[in-house]
Coordinates of all heavy atoms in Angstrom, one line a residue:
M1 N 77.6 114.6 89.5 CA 78.6 113.8 90.0 C 78.4 113.9 91.6 O 78.2 114.9 92.2 CB 79.9 114.3 89.8 CG 81.0 113.4 90.1 SD 82.6 113.9 89.4 CE 83.4 114.8 90.7
S2 N 78.5 112.7 92.3 CA 78.1 112.7 93.7 C 79.4 113.3 94.5 O 80.5 113.2 94.0 CB 77.9 111.3 94.3 OG 79.0 110.5 94.1
D3 N 79.2 113.7 95.7 CA 80.3 114.2 96.4 C 81.0 113.1 97.3 O 80.3 112.0 97.5 CB 79.7 115.2 97.5 CG 79.3 116.4 96.8 OD1 79.9 116.8 95.8 OD2 78.3 117.1 97.3
W4 N 82.1 113.4 97.8 CA 82.8 112.4 98.7 C 82.1 112.5 100.0 O 81.8 113.7 100.5 CB 84.3 112.8 98.8 CG 85.0 112.5 97.7 CD1 85.3 113.4 96.6 CD2 85.6 111.4 97.2 NE1 86.1 112.8 95.6 CE2 86.3 111.5 96.0 CE3 85.7 110.0 97.8 CZ2 86.9 110.5 95.4 CZ3 86.4 109.0 97.1 CH2 87.0 109.3 95.9
T5 N 81.9 111.4 100.7 CA 81.2 111.2 102.0 C 82.2 110.7 103.1 O 82.9 109.6 102.8 CB 80.0 110.2 102.0 OG1 79.0 110.8 101.0 CG2 79.3 110.2 103.3
D6 N 82.3 111.4 104.1 CA 83.2 110.9 105.3 C 82.6 109.7 105.9 O 81.4 109.5 106.2 CB 83.3 112.0 106.4 CG 84.0 113.3 106.0 OD1 84.5 113.3 104.8 OD2 83.9 114.2 106.7
I7 N 83.4 108.6 106.1 CA 83.1 107.3 106.6 C 83.7 107.2 108.0 O 83.1 106.7 108.9 CB 83.6 106.2 105.7 CG1 82.9 106.3 104.3 CG2 83.3 104.8 106.3 CD1 81.4 106.2 104.3
G8 N 85.0 107.6 108.3 CA 85.5 107.6 109.5 C 86.9 107.9 109.4 O 87.6 108.0 108.3
A9 N 87.6 107.9 110.6 CA 89.1 108.1 110.6 C 89.9 107.0 110.2 O 89.5 105.8 110.4 CB 89.4 108.6 112.1
A10 N 90.9 107.3 109.4 CA 91.8 106.2 109.0 C 92.3 105.4 110.2 O 92.5 104.2 110.2 CB 92.9 106.8 108.0
A11 N 92.7 106.1 111.3 CA 93.2 105.5 112.5 C 92.1 104.5 113.0 O 92.5 103.3 113.5 CB 93.5 106.6 113.5
E12 N 90.9 104.8 112.9 CA 89.8 103.9 113.4 C 89.8 102.7 112.6 O 89.6 101.6 113.1 CB 88.4 104.6 113.2 CG 87.3 104.0 113.9 CD 85.9 104.7 113.8 OE1 86.1 105.9 113.5 OE2 85.0 104.2 113.9
L13 N 89.9 102.8 111.2 CA 90.0 101.7 110.4 C 91.3 100.7 110.7 O 91.1 99.6 110.8 CB 90.1 102.0 108.9 CG 90.2 100.7 107.9 CD1 88.8 100.0 108.0 CD2 90.4 101.3 106.6
D14 N 92.3 101.3 111.1 CA 93.6 100.6 111.5 C 93.4 99.7 112.6 O 93.7 98.6 112.7 CB 94.7 101.5 111.6 CG 95.2 102.1 110.4 OD1 95.0 101.7 109.4 OD2 95.9 103.2 110.5
A15 N 92.4 100.2 113.6 CA 92.1 99.5 114.8 C 91.1 98.4 114.5 O 91.3 97.3 115.0 CB 91.6 100.4 115.8
S16 N 90.1 98.7 113.7 CA 89.0 97.6 113.5 C 89.1 96.9 112.3 O 88.4 95.9 112.2 CB 87.6 98.5 113.6 OG 87.7 99.2 112.4
Q17 N 89.9 97.2 111.4 CA 90.2 96.6 110.1 C 89.0 96.8 109.2 O 88.9 96.3 108.0 CB 90.4 95.1 110.2 CG 91.7 94.9 111.0 CD 92.8 95.5 110.4 OE1 93.2 95.4 109.3 NE2 93.6 96.2 111.2
R18 N 87.8 97.4 109.7 CA 86.7 97.6 108.6 C 85.9 98.7 109.2 O 85.6 98.9 110.5 CB 85.9 96.3 108.4 CG 85.5 95.7 109.7 CD 84.7 94.4 109.3 NE 85.7 93.3 109.1 CZ 85.3 92.0 108.6 NH1 84.2 91.8 108.1 NH2 86.3 91.3 108.5
L19 N 85.2 99.5 108.4 CA 84.4 100.6 108.7 C 83.0 100.5 108.0 O 83.1 99.9 106.7 CB 85.0 101.8 108.5 CG 86.1 102.4 109.4 CD1 86.6 103.7 108.8 CD2 85.6 102.6 110.8
E20 N 81.9 101.0 108.4 CA 80.7 100.9 107.6 C 80.2 102.4 107.7 O 80.5 103.1 108.6 CB 79.8 99.9 108.1 CG 79.4 100.1 109.5 CD 78.6 99.0 109.9 OE1 79.0 97.8 109.8 OE2 77.6 99.2 110.6
G21 N 79.4 102.8 106.7 CA 78.8 104.0 106.7 C 77.7 104.1 105.7 O 77.3 103.1 105.1
D22 N 77.3 105.2 105.4 CA 76.1 105.4 104.4 C 76.6 106.5 103.4 O 77.0 107.6 103.8 CB 75.0 106.0 105.3 CG 73.8 106.2 104.4 OD1 73.7 107.4 103.7 OD2 72.8 105.4 104.2
V23 N 76.4 106.1 102.1 CA 76.8 107.0 101.0 C 75.5 107.2 100.1 O 75.1 106.2 99.6 CB 78.1 106.5 100.2 CG1 78.3 107.4 99.0 CG2 79.2 106.4 101.1
D24 N 74.9 108.3 100.0 CA 73.9 108.5 99.1 C 72.6 107.5 99.4 O 72.1 107.0 98.5 CB 74.2 108.5 97.6 CG 75.2 109.6 97.4 OD1 75.4 110.7 98.1 OD2 75.9 109.5 96.3
G25 N 72.4 107.2 100.7 CA 71.5 106.2 101.1 C 71.8 104.8 100.9 O 70.9 103.9 101.2
Y26 N 73.0 104.4 100.6 CA 73.4 103.1 100.5 C 74.5 102.8 101.6 O 75.3 103.5 101.8 CB 74.1 102.8 99.1 CG 73.1 102.9 98.0 CD1 72.9 104.1 97.4 CD2 72.4 101.7 97.5 CE1 72.1 104.2 96.3 CE2 71.5 101.8 96.5 CZ 71.3 103.2 95.8 OH 70.4 103.2 94.7
R27 N 74.4 101.6 102.1 CA 75.3 101.1 103.1 C 76.6 100.7 102.4 O 76.5 100.1 101.5 CB 74.7 99.8 103.9 CG 73.8 100.1 105.0 CD 73.6 98.8 105.7 NE 73.8 97.5 105.0 CZ 72.7 96.8 104.4 NH1 71.6 97.3 104.5 NH2 73.0 95.8 103.8
V28 N 77.7 101.4 102.9 CA 79.0 100.9 102.3 C 79.9 100.3 103.4 O 79.7 100.7 104.6 CB 79.6 102.0 101.7 CG1 78.7 102.7 100.5 CG2 80.0 103.2 102.6
R29 N 80.8 99.6 103.0 CA 81.9 99.0 104.0 C 83.3 99.4 103.4 O 83.5 99.3 102.0 CB 81.6 97.6 104.0 CG 82.5 96.9 105.1 CD 81.9 95.5 105.5 NE 80.6 95.6 106.1 CZ 80.4 95.8 107.3 NH1 81.3 95.9 108.2 NH2 79.2 96.0 107.7
V30 N 84.1 99.7 104.2 CA 85.5 99.9 103.8 C 86.4 99.0 104.6 O 86.2 98.8 105.7 CB 85.9 101.5 104.1 CG1 87.4 101.7 103.7 CG2 85.0 102.4 103.4
V31 N 87.3 98.4 103.7 CA 88.3 97.5 104.4 C 89.7 97.8 103.8 O 89.9 98.4 102.8 CB 87.9 95.9 104.2 CG1 86.6 95.5 104.7 CG2 88.0 95.7 102.7
R32 N 90.7 97.4 104.7 CA 92.0 97.5 104.2 C 92.6 96.1 104.1 O 92.5 95.3 105.0 CB 92.9 98.3 105.1 CG 94.2 98.6 104.7 CD 95.2 99.3 105.7 NE 94.6 100.3 106.5 CZ 94.7 101.6 106.1 NH1 95.3 101.9 105.0 NH2 94.2 102.6 106.8
V33 N 93.1 95.8 102.8 CA 93.7 94.6 102.6 C 95.0 94.8 102.0 O 95.3 95.5 101.0 CB 92.9 93.8 101.5 CG1 93.6 92.4 101.2 CG2 91.4 93.4 102.1
S34 N 96.1 94.2 102.7 CA 97.6 94.4 102.3 C 97.8 95.8 102.1 O 98.6 96.3 101.1 CB 97.8 93.6 101.0 OG 97.6 92.2 101.3
G35 N 97.3 96.7 103.0 CA 97.7 98.1 102.9 C 96.8 99.0 102.0 O 96.9 100.2 102.1
T36 N 95.9 98.4 101.3 CA 95.2 99.2 100.2 C 93.7 99.2 100.8 O 93.1 98.2 101.2 CB 95.1 98.4 98.9 OG1 96.5 98.5 98.5 CG2 94.3 99.3 97.9
L37 N 93.0 100.4 100.6 CA 91.7 100.6 101.1 C 90.7 100.2 99.9 O 91.1 100.5 98.6 CB 91.4 102.0 101.4 CG 92.0 102.6 102.6 CD1 91.7 104.1 102.7 CD2 91.5 101.8 103.8
Y38 N 89.7 99.4 100.2 CA 88.6 99.2 99.3 C 87.4 99.5 99.8 O 87.0 99.4 101.1 CB 88.8 97.7 99.0 CG 89.9 97.2 98.3 CD1 91.0 96.6 99.2 CD2 90.2 97.3 97.0 CE1 92.2 96.2 98.5 CE2 91.4 96.9 96.3 CZ 92.4 96.4 97.2 OH 93.6 95.9 96.6
A39 N 86.4 100.0 99.1 CA 85.0 100.3 99.4 C 84.0 99.6 98.5 O 84.3 99.5 97.3 CB 84.8 101.7 99.4
F40 N 82.9 99.1 99.1 CA 81.9 98.3 98.3 C 80.7 98.5 99.1 O 80.6 98.7 100.2 CB 82.4 97.0 98.0 CG 82.7 96.2 99.2 CD1 81.9 95.5 100.1 CD2 84.1 96.2 99.7 CE1 82.2 94.9 101.3 CE2 84.4 95.4 100.9 CZ 83.6 94.8 101.6
E41 N 79.6 98.4 98.2 CA 78.3 98.4 98.8 C 78.1 97.2 99.6 O 78.5 96.2 99.5 CB 77.2 98.4 97.7 CG 75.8 98.5 98.3 CD 74.6 98.6 97.3 OE1 75.0 98.5 96.1 OE2 73.5 98.7 97.7
D42 N 77.5 97.5 100.9 CA 77.5 96.5 102.0 C 76.1 95.7 101.8 O 75.3 95.6 102.6 CB 77.5 97.3 103.3 CG 77.6 96.2 104.4 OD1 78.0 95.0 104.2 OD2 77.3 96.5 105.7
R43 N 76.0 95.0 100.7 CA 74.9 94.2 100.4 C 75.2 93.1 99.6 O 75.6 93.2 98.3 CB 73.9 95.2 99.6 CG 72.5 94.4 99.4 CD 71.7 95.5 98.5 NE 72.2 95.7 97.2 CZ 71.9 94.9 96.2 NH1 71.2 93.8 96.3 NH2 72.4 95.3 94.9
C44 N 75.1 91.9 100.0 CA 75.4 90.7 99.2 C 74.3 90.5 98.1 O 73.0 90.7 98.3 CB 75.3 89.4 100.1 SG 75.4 87.9 99.2
T45 N 74.8 90.3 96.9 CA 73.9 90.3 95.8 C 73.0 89.1 95.8 O 72.2 88.9 94.9 CB 74.6 90.4 94.5 OG1 75.6 89.4 94.3 CG2 75.3 91.8 94.3
H46 N 73.4 88.0 96.6 CA 72.6 86.9 96.6 C 71.1 87.1 97.3 O 70.1 86.9 96.7 CB 73.2 85.7 97.4 CG 72.2 84.5 97.5 ND1 71.9 84.1 98.8 CD2 71.6 83.8 96.7 CE1 71.0 83.1 98.6 NE2 70.9 82.8 97.3
D47 N 71.3 87.7 98.5 CA 69.9 87.9 99.2 C 70.1 89.2 100.1 O 69.4 89.1 101.2 CB 69.6 86.7 100.0 CG 68.0 86.7 100.5 OD1 67.3 87.4 99.7 OD2 67.7 86.0 101.4
D48 N 70.8 90.2 99.7 CA 70.8 91.4 100.4 C 71.4 91.5 101.7 O 71.1 92.5 102.5 CB 69.5 92.0 100.4 CG 69.0 92.4 98.9 OD1 69.7 92.5 98.1 OD2 67.7 92.5 98.7
S49 N 72.0 90.6 102.3 CA 72.5 90.6 103.6 C 73.8 91.5 103.6 O 74.5 91.6 102.7 CB 73.1 89.2 104.0 OG 72.1 88.4 104.4
P50 N 74.0 92.2 104.8 CA 75.2 93.0 105.0 C 76.3 92.0 105.2 O 76.2 90.8 105.6 CB 74.9 93.8 106.3 CG 73.8 93.0 107.1 CD 73.0 92.2 106.0
F51 N 77.6 92.6 104.9 CA 78.7 91.7 105.2 C 79.4 91.9 106.5 O 80.5 91.7 106.8 CB 79.8 92.2 104.2 CG 79.6 91.7 102.7 CD1 79.0 92.6 101.8 CD2 79.6 90.5 102.4 CE1 78.7 92.3 100.5 CE2 79.4 89.9 101.1 CZ 78.8 90.9 100.1
E52 N 78.6 92.3 107.5 CA 79.0 92.6 108.9 C 79.7 91.3 109.4 O 79.2 90.2 109.5 CB 77.8 92.8 109.8 CG 78.0 93.2 111.2 CD 76.8 93.6 112.0 OE1 75.7 93.3 111.5 OE2 77.0 94.4 113.0
D53 N 80.9 91.5 109.9 CA 81.7 90.6 110.5 C 82.0 89.4 109.5 O 82.5 88.2 109.9 CB 81.2 89.9 111.8 CG 80.9 90.9 112.8 OD1 81.8 91.8 112.9 OD2 80.0 90.8 113.6
A54 N 81.9 89.6 108.2 CA 82.2 88.7 107.2 C 83.8 88.3 107.2 O 84.6 89.3 107.2 CB 81.8 89.1 105.7
P55 N 84.1 87.1 107.1 CA 85.6 86.8 107.0 C 86.2 87.3 105.8 O 85.5 87.4 104.8 CB 85.6 85.2 107.1 CG 84.3 84.8 107.4 CD 83.2 85.9 107.1
I56 N 87.4 87.7 105.8 CA 88.1 88.2 104.6 C 89.3 87.3 104.5 O 90.1 86.9 105.5 CB 88.5 89.6 104.8 CG1 87.4 90.5 104.8 CG2 89.6 90.0 103.7 CD1 87.8 91.9 105.1
E57 N 89.5 86.5 103.4 CA 90.7 85.7 103.1 C 91.4 86.3 101.9 O 90.7 86.4 100.8 CB 90.2 84.3 102.9 CG 89.6 83.7 104.2 CD 89.1 82.3 103.9 OE1 89.3 81.7 102.8 OE2 88.6 81.6 104.8
D58 N 92.6 86.5 102.0 CA 93.4 87.2 101.0 C 92.5 88.4 100.4 O 92.4 89.3 101.2 CB 93.6 86.2 99.7 CG 94.5 85.0 100.1 OD1 95.4 85.2 100.9 OD2 94.1 83.9 99.7
C59 N 92.2 88.6 99.2 CA 91.3 89.7 98.9 C 89.9 89.3 98.5 O 89.2 89.8 97.6 CB 92.0 90.4 97.7 SG 91.6 92.2 97.7
E60 N 89.4 88.3 99.4 CA 88.0 87.8 99.1 C 87.2 88.1 100.4 O 87.6 87.8 101.4 CB 87.9 86.3 98.7 CG 88.6 86.1 97.4 CD 88.7 84.5 97.0 OE1 88.1 83.9 97.7 OE2 89.3 84.3 96.0
I61 N 86.0 88.4 100.2 CA 85.1 88.5 101.4 C 84.0 87.4 101.3 O 83.6 87.3 100.2 CB 84.5 89.9 101.6 CG1 83.9 90.0 103.0 CG2 83.4 90.3 100.4 CD1 83.6 91.5 103.3
I62 N 83.7 86.8 102.4 CA 82.8 85.6 102.3 C 81.6 86.1 103.1 O 81.5 86.3 104.3 CB 83.5 84.4 103.1 CG1 84.8 84.2 102.4 CG2 82.6 83.3 103.1 CD1 85.7 83.3 103.3
C63 N 80.4 86.0 102.3 CA 79.1 86.4 102.9 C 78.9 85.3 104.2 O 78.9 84.3 104.0 CB 78.1 86.3 101.9 SG 76.4 86.7 102.6
P64 N 78.6 86.0 105.3 CA 78.4 85.2 106.5 C 77.0 84.3 106.3 O 76.9 83.3 107.2 CB 78.4 86.1 107.5 CG 78.1 87.4 107.0 CD 78.6 87.4 105.7
R65 N 76.2 84.7 105.5 CA 74.8 84.1 105.5 C 75.0 82.7 104.8 O 74.5 81.7 105.2 CB 73.8 85.0 104.9 CG 72.4 84.6 105.1 CD 71.4 85.6 105.3 NE 70.1 85.1 105.0 CZ 69.2 85.7 104.3 NH1 69.6 86.9 103.6 NH2 68.1 85.2 104.1
H66 N 75.4 82.7 103.4 CA 75.3 81.5 102.7 C 76.7 81.1 102.0 O 76.8 80.2 101.3 CB 74.3 81.6 101.6 CG 72.9 81.9 102.1 ND1 72.2 83.0 101.7 CD2 72.0 81.2 102.9 CE1 71.0 83.0 102.3 NE2 71.0 81.9 103.0
G67 N 77.6 82.0 102.3 CA 79.0 81.6 102.0 C 79.4 82.1 100.6 O 80.6 81.6 100.2
A68 N 78.8 82.9 99.8 CA 79.2 83.3 98.6 C 80.5 84.2 98.8 O 80.6 84.8 99.8 CB 78.2 84.1 97.9
R69 N 81.4 84.0 97.9 CA 82.7 84.8 98.0 C 82.7 85.8 96.9 O 82.2 85.6 95.8 CB 83.9 83.7 97.8 CG 84.2 82.9 98.8 CD 85.4 82.0 98.5 NE 85.7 81.2 99.6 CZ 86.8 81.4 100.4 NH1 87.7 82.2 100.0 NH2 87.1 80.7 101.4
F70 N 83.2 87.0 97.3 CA 83.3 88.2 96.4 C 84.9 88.6 96.3 O 85.5 88.7 97.4 CB 82.4 89.3 96.7 CG 81.0 88.9 96.7 CD1 80.4 88.5 97.8 CD2 80.3 89.2 95.5 CE1 79.1 88.1 97.7 CE2 79.0 88.8 95.5 CZ 78.3 88.3 96.5
C71 N 85.3 89.2 95.1 CA 86.6 89.8 95.0 C 86.4 91.2 95.6 O 85.7 91.9 95.1 CB 87.1 89.8 93.6 SG 88.6 90.7 93.4
I72 N 87.1 91.5 96.6 CA 87.1 92.8 97.2 C 87.5 93.9 96.2 O 87.1 94.9 96.1 CB 88.0 92.9 98.5 CG1 87.2 92.1 99.6 CG2 88.2 94.3 99.0 CD1 88.0 91.8 100.9
R73 N 88.6 93.5 95.4 CA 89.1 94.6 94.4 C 88.0 94.9 93.3 O 87.8 96.1 93.0 CB 90.3 94.1 93.8 CG 91.5 93.9 94.6 CD 92.7 93.5 93.8 NE 93.9 93.3 94.6 CZ 94.2 92.1 95.1 NH1 93.5 91.1 94.6 NH2 95.2 91.9 95.9
T74 N 87.5 93.9 92.7 CA 86.5 94.2 91.6 C 85.1 94.0 91.9 O 84.2 94.4 91.2 CB 86.9 93.1 90.5 OG1 86.4 91.9 90.9 CG2 88.4 93.1 90.2
G75 N 84.7 93.4 93.0 CA 83.3 93.1 93.4 C 82.9 91.8 92.8 O 81.7 91.4 93.0
A76 N 83.6 91.2 91.9 CA 83.1 90.0 91.2 C 82.6 88.9 92.2 O 83.2 88.7 93.2 CB 84.1 89.4 90.2
A77 N 81.5 88.3 91.8 CA 80.9 87.1 92.6 C 81.9 86.0 92.1 O 81.8 85.7 90.9 CB 79.5 86.8 92.2
L78 N 82.4 85.2 93.0 CA 83.4 84.2 92.7 C 82.8 82.8 92.9 O 83.3 81.9 92.3 CB 84.6 84.3 93.6 CG 85.4 85.7 93.4 CD1 86.5 85.7 94.4 CD2 85.8 85.9 92.0
T79 N 81.8 82.7 93.7 CA 81.1 81.4 94.0 C 79.7 81.6 94.2 O 79.2 82.6 94.7 CB 81.8 80.6 95.3 OG1 81.6 81.6 96.4 CG2 83.3 80.5 95.2
A80 N 79.0 80.5 93.9 CA 77.6 80.4 94.3 C 77.3 80.5 95.8 O 78.3 80.2 96.5 CB 77.0 79.2 93.7
P81 N 76.2 80.9 96.1 CA 75.0 81.2 95.5 C 74.9 82.6 94.9 O 73.8 83.0 94.4 CB 73.8 81.0 96.5 CG 74.5 81.3 97.7 CD 76.0 81.0 97.7
A82 N 75.9 83.4 94.8 CA 75.8 84.7 94.2 C 76.4 84.8 92.9 O 77.3 84.0 92.6 CB 76.6 85.7 95.1
Y83 N 75.8 85.5 91.9 CA 76.2 85.4 90.5 C 76.4 86.9 90.1 O 77.2 87.1 89.0 CB 75.1 84.8 89.7 CG 75.0 83.3 90.0 CD1 74.0 82.9 90.9 CD2 76.0 82.4 89.6 CE1 73.9 81.5 91.2 CE2 75.9 81.0 90.1 CZ 74.8 80.6 90.9 OH 74.8 79.3 91.2
E84 N 75.8 87.8 90.8 CA 76.1 89.3 90.4 C 77.1 90.0 91.2 O 77.1 89.6 92.4 CB 74.7 90.1 90.5 CG 73.5 89.5 89.7 CD 73.9 89.6 88.2 OE1 74.4 90.7 87.9 OE2 73.6 88.8 87.4
P85 N 77.9 90.8 90.7 CA 79.0 91.5 91.5 C 78.4 92.5 92.5 O 77.2 92.9 92.3 CB 79.8 92.3 90.4 CG 78.8 92.5 89.3 CD 77.9 91.3 89.3
V86 N 79.1 92.8 93.6 CA 78.8 93.8 94.5 C 79.4 95.1 93.9 O 80.4 95.0 93.3 CB 79.3 93.6 95.9 CG1 78.6 92.5 96.5 CG2 80.8 93.5 96.0
A87 N 78.8 96.2 94.1 CA 79.3 97.5 93.6 C 80.5 97.9 94.4 O 80.5 98.0 95.7 CB 78.2 98.6 93.6
T88 N 81.7 98.1 93.7 CA 82.8 98.7 94.3 C 82.8 100.3 94.1 O 82.3 100.7 93.1 CB 84.0 98.1 93.7 OG1 84.1 98.2 92.4 CG2 84.2 96.6 94.0
L89 N 83.3 101.0 95.1 CA 83.1 102.4 95.1 C 84.6 103.2 95.3 O 85.5 102.5 96.0 CB 82.2 102.9 96.1 CG 80.9 102.2 96.1 CD1 80.1 102.6 97.5 CD2 80.1 102.8 94.8
P90 N 84.8 104.3 94.7 CA 86.1 105.0 94.8 C 86.2 105.3 96.4 O 85.3 105.7 97.0 CB 86.0 106.2 94.1 CG 84.9 106.0 93.1 CD 84.0 105.0 93.7
V91 N 87.5 105.2 96.9 CA 87.8 105.5 98.3 C 89.1 106.4 98.3 O 90.0 106.0 97.5 CB 87.8 104.3 99.1 CG1 88.9 103.3 98.7 CG2 88.0 104.6 100.6
R92 N 89.2 107.2 99.3 CA 90.4 108.1 99.4 C 90.4 108.4 100.9 O 89.5 108.4 101.6 CB 90.3 109.2 98.5 CG 89.3 110.4 99.0 CD 89.4 111.6 98.1 NE 88.5 112.6 98.6 CZ 88.2 113.7 98.0 NH1 88.8 114.0 96.8 NH2 87.4 114.7 98.5
V93 N 91.7 108.9 101.3 CA 91.9 109.4 102.6 C 92.3 110.9 102.5 O 93.1 111.3 101.7 CB 93.0 108.7 103.3 CG1 93.3 109.4 104.7 CG2 92.7 107.3 103.5
E94 N 91.5 111.9 103.0 CA 91.8 113.2 103.1 C 92.0 113.6 104.5 O 91.0 113.5 105.3 CB 90.6 114.1 102.4 CG 90.5 113.8 100.8 CD 91.6 114.6 100.2 OE1 91.7 115.8 100.5 OE2 92.3 114.0 99.4
N95 N 93.1 114.2 104.8 CA 93.3 114.8 106.2 C 93.1 113.7 107.3 O 92.5 114.1 108.3 CB 92.6 116.0 106.4 CG 92.9 117.1 105.5 OD1 94.2 117.3 105.2 ND2 92.0 117.9 105.0
G96 N 93.4 112.5 107.0 CA 93.1 111.4 108.0 C 91.7 110.8 108.0 O 91.4 110.0 108.9
V97 N 90.9 111.3 107.1 CA 89.5 110.9 107.1 C 89.2 110.0 105.9 O 89.5 110.5 104.6 CB 88.5 112.1 107.1 CG1 87.0 111.5 107.0 CG2 88.7 112.9 108.3
I98 N 88.7 108.9 106.0 CA 88.3 108.0 104.9 C 87.1 108.5 104.1 O 86.1 108.8 104.8 CB 88.2 106.6 105.3 CG1 89.6 106.0 105.8 CG2 87.6 105.7 104.2 CD1 89.5 104.6 106.4
Q99 N 87.2 108.7 102.9 CA 85.9 109.3 102.2 C 85.6 108.2 101.0 O 86.5 107.7 100.4 CB 86.1 110.5 101.6 CG 86.5 111.6 102.6 CD 86.8 112.9 102.1 OE1 87.4 113.0 101.0 NE2 86.3 114.0 102.6
V100 N 84.3 108.1 100.8 CA 83.9 107.3 99.8 C 82.9 108.0 98.9 O 82.2 108.9 99.3 CB 83.1 106.0 100.3 CG1 82.5 105.1 99.1 CG2 84.1 105.2 101.1
R101 N 82.9 107.7 97.5 CA 82.1 108.4 96.6 C 81.3 107.3 95.8 O 81.9 106.3 95.4 CB 82.8 109.3 95.7 CG 82.0 110.3 94.8 CD 82.9 111.2 94.2 NE 83.6 110.8 93.1 CZ 83.0 110.5 91.8 NH1 81.8 110.8 91.6 NH2 83.7 109.9 90.8
D102 N 80.1 107.5 95.6 CA 79.2 106.6 94.8 C 79.2 107.1 93.3 O 78.5 108.1 93.1 CB 77.8 106.5 95.4 CG 77.0 105.3 94.7 OD1 77.5 104.8 93.6 OD2 76.1 104.8 95.3
N103 N 79.9 106.5 92.4 CA 80.1 106.9 91.1 C 79.2 106.2 90.1 O 79.4 106.3 88.9 CB 81.5 106.9 90.7 CG 82.0 105.7 90.6 OD1 81.5 104.7 91.1 ND2 83.2 105.5 90.0
R104 N 78.4 105.4 90.6 CA 77.5 104.6 89.8 C 76.6 105.4 88.8 O 76.2 104.8 87.7 CB 76.7 103.5 90.6 CG 77.6 102.5 91.1 CD 76.8 101.5 92.0 NE 76.4 102.2 93.2 CZ 75.6 101.4 94.1 NH1 75.3 100.3 93.9 NH2 75.4 102.1 95.3
W105 N 76.2 106.6 89.2 CA 75.2 107.3 88.3 C 75.9 108.7 87.8 O 75.1 109.5 87.4 CB 74.0 107.6 89.1 CG 73.3 106.3 89.3 CD1 72.6 105.5 88.5 CD2 73.3 105.4 90.5 NE1 72.1 104.3 89.1 CE2 72.6 104.3 90.3 CE3 74.1 105.5 91.7 CZ2 72.6 103.2 91.3 CZ3 74.0 104.5 92.7 CH2 73.2 103.4 92.5
D106 N 77.2 108.8 87.9 CA 77.9 110.0 87.4 C 77.6 110.1 85.8 O 77.5 109.3 85.1 CB 79.4 109.8 87.6 CG 79.8 110.1 89.1 OD1 78.8 110.4 89.9 OD2 81.0 110.0 89.4
Ligands
FES201 S1 72.9 86.4 101.3 FE1 75.1 86.3 100.8 S2 75.3 84.3 100.1 FE2 73.2 84.4 100.5

């Protein structure tokens, strides 16, 4: 089972609305939507682009490169040109620090 990895201060996320980090060699992104934290691999499944500065509408993130939409809660690909989901990851706050764990190979 992988360990929890510190991504950043919860207060930092409140200011920027999104954080990025590295968990077990994978880029991850953490966002807060309607008060809930979500973490997912920062790699669009269409062509591997990061979601840097990607717009968020409701609970969907829109890839800035070709416009595919993904559900932030589930990772599901909602529109072409992406068809595969992005990996969503467990996220928690411990003593004011946001932590993410990659549980895909537990
Ligand atoms: S790289 Fe994301 S939609 Fe093409």
